[in-house]
Amino acid sequence: MSQSPSLQLPEGKHPQLRVMPMPSDANVYGDVFGGWIMAQVDIAGSLPATRRANGRVATIAVNSFLFKNPVFVGDLLSFYADIVKVGNTSITVNVEVYAERNRLQTEIVKVTEATLTYVATDESRKPRPLPPLDPAREAGITPAL
């Protein structure tokens, strides 16, 4: 289950989410509950899916979920999410989670990886087709007013 620590966070990528688990997120031994981590992964994965869908999305599948290393109270978690597949109404996202430990001598460990699928939904929460790809929106570029 354990892997050797990496030296740095993924280069050239920005985390979708960064969060530090608190004591209420852990069991009596200080290990963070897997369900809490799963919820954060779902939030992180939904962010690029929502951007691509230009609106509401719903999680329809957790295709894979692997806990590679434990997460502890006080770890600073960084969630990286990338769209890997787009269908007519669905968006599949890979999420990788890294923990920064020991603030004085930073150790970075990959703790979780997952693949989730979201579906774009309308106001009635029914599936809707994805809009055409807008490269400026995907790059986070806002048009001048």
Side-chain angles (χ1 to χ4, degrees), residues 51-122:
R51 248 188 323 276
R52 175 60 186 90
N54 197 23
R56 180 193 313 261
V57 296
T59 309
I60 60 165
V62 177
N63 306 339
S64 68
F65 212 105
L66 180 63
F67 295 102
K68 299 176 77 66
N69 284 287
V71 174
F72 307 115
V73 170
D75 284 350
L76 178 58
L77 302 179
S78 296
F79 296 75
Y80 295 86
D82 295 298
I83 294 173
V84 294
K85 183 179 176 189
V86 175
N88 292 327
T89 62
S90 66
I91 302 161
T92 302
V93 179
N94 279 349
V95 180
E96 295 181 324
V97 186
Y98 294 84
E100 292 178 64
R101 299 193 168 134
N102 307 323
R103 235 50 78 232
L104 299 177
Q105 311 170 317
T106 303
E107 173 188 1
I108 298 174
V109 179
K110 186 174 186 180
V111 294
T112 304
E113 55 189 44
T115 304
L116 300 93
T117 301
Y118 301 87
V119 67
T121 60
D122 62 19

